[in-house]
């Protein structure tokens, strides 16, 4: 517009105070993701024009959701999870991923992602894409860990003896899923095993147990556990 040299422009952005000596262009950075209104009017020493007003919306476009590689049912409790994604964001923001297993979220992970010690049973996992502002919803998948224990070992009867040491023998059985196994042994002076006088978490047959007391009744028991911590009776 034509100016005589006595005019000036007033600029206002949202609820900011008016800038009474504004020049075009005006720059605002880190504006919120919402609707914004700005306006300008020209004034002289006597009066001002009406405001010219404009509104716009600042939006953030989130990246696409990840595509999960289906995790099948398994008997293993260490699982490697995989997903795919273009890695790009519509606004050019950096893309990161949040991983979730049974409602517990871990931020800023990459595929493949491995977790150990997952319990037997049904599980739900998911991954979401995030930019610097917000995240997508989780892409989700479910799987089950089924783990059967080996059969209860068969003990070889230990007769009463006058010796203070014995060789205990038993037969244990292989794991249904062919997992490695170990034998857990306990010796007690009561049938409820409330008082443990000897134990071995990785016993082999025959097991020599020494230091026994004479005229004492002992009870012993054995169970087989696999590498996923499923144990027999």
């Amino acid at each position: 517009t034509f100016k005589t040299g006595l005019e000036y422009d007033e600029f206002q952005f949202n609820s900011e105070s008016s800038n009474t000596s504004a020049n075009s262009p005006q720059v605002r950075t880190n504006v919120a993701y919402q609707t914004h209104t700005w306006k300008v009017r020209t004034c002289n020493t006597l009066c001002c024009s009406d405001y010219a007003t404009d509104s716009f919306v600042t939006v953030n476009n989130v990246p696409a959701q990840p595509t999960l590689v289906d995790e099948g049912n398994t008997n293993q409790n260490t699982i490697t999870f995989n997903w795919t994604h273009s890695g790009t964001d519509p606004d050019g923001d950096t893309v990161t991923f949040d991983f979730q297993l049974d409602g517990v979220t871990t931020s800023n992970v990459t595929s493949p992602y491995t977790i150990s010690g997952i319990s037997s049973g049904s599980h739900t996992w998911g991954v979401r894409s995030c930019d610097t502002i917000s995240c997508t919803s989780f892409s989700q998948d479910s799987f089950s860990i089924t783990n059967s224990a080996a059969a209860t070992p068969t003990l070889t009867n230990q007769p009463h003896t006058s010796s203070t040491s014995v060789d205990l023998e038993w037969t244990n059985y292989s794991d249904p899923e062919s997992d490695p196994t170990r034998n857990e042994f306990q010796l007690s002076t009561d049938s409820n095993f409330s008082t443990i006088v000897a134990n071995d978490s990785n016993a082999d047959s025959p097991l020599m147990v020494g230091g026994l007391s004479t005229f004492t009744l002992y009870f012993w028991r054995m169970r087989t556990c696999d590498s996923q911590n499923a144990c027999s009776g």
Side-chain angles (χ1 to χ4, degrees), residues 89-107:
D89 179 79
D91 305 317
D93 297 330
T94 299
V95 178
T96 59
F97 301 100
D98 288 348
F99 177 88
Q100 190 177 78
L101 178 63
D102 298 332
V104 178
T105 302
T106 304
S107 299

Side-chain angles (χ1 to χ4, degrees), residues 73-77 144-148 175-179 228:
N73 296 335
T74 179
N75 67 327
Q76 301 300 306
N77 66 355
S144 293
I145 297 177
T146 56
N147 184 41
S148 301
D175 184 75
E177 290 89 21
S178 299
D179 292 331
Q228 314 300 324

Side-chain angles (χ1 to χ4, degrees), residues 177-192:
E177 290 89 21
S178 299
D179 292 331
T181 59
R182 57 185 171 84
N183 299 302
E184 293 186 349
F185 160 78
Q186 290 183 338
L187 183 73
S188 177
T189 52
D190 66 88
S191 59
N192 293 323

Side-chain angles (χ1 to χ4, degrees), residues 4 6-10 41-51:
T4 65
L6 300 177
E7 296 87 1
Y8 57 92
D9 292 334
E10 283 189 0
R41 68 180 179 179
T42 300
C43 302
N44 58 29
T45 56
L46 296 178
C47 61
C48 297
S49 70
D50 293 332
Y51 275 107

Side-chain angles (χ1 to χ4, degrees), residues 83 96-101 103-110 113-115 126-128 130 138:
W83 62 92
T96 59
F97 301 100
D98 288 348
F99 177 88
Q100 190 177 78
L101 178 63
V104 178
T105 302
T106 304
S107 299
N108 198 19
V109 302
T110 57
Y113 185 62
T114 301
I115 297 181
V127 181
R128 66 182 179 184
C130 301
F138 278 96

Side-chain angles (χ1 to χ4, degrees), residues 135-185:
C135 299
T136 67
S137 56
F138 278 96
S139 299
Q140 291 188 323
D141 180 41
S142 295
F143 64 96
S144 293
I145 297 177
T146 56
N147 184 41
S148 301
T152 300
T154 299
L155 307 185
T156 301
N157 179 59
Q158 171 60 46
H160 300 313
T161 178
S162 60
S163 175
T164 58
S165 65
V166 294
D167 287 325
L168 301 178
E169 298 184 36
W170 66 91
T171 301
N172 59 298
Y173 303 97
S174 60
D175 184 75
E177 290 89 21
S178 299
D179 292 331
T181 59
R182 57 185 171 84
N183 299 302
E184 293 186 349
F185 160 78

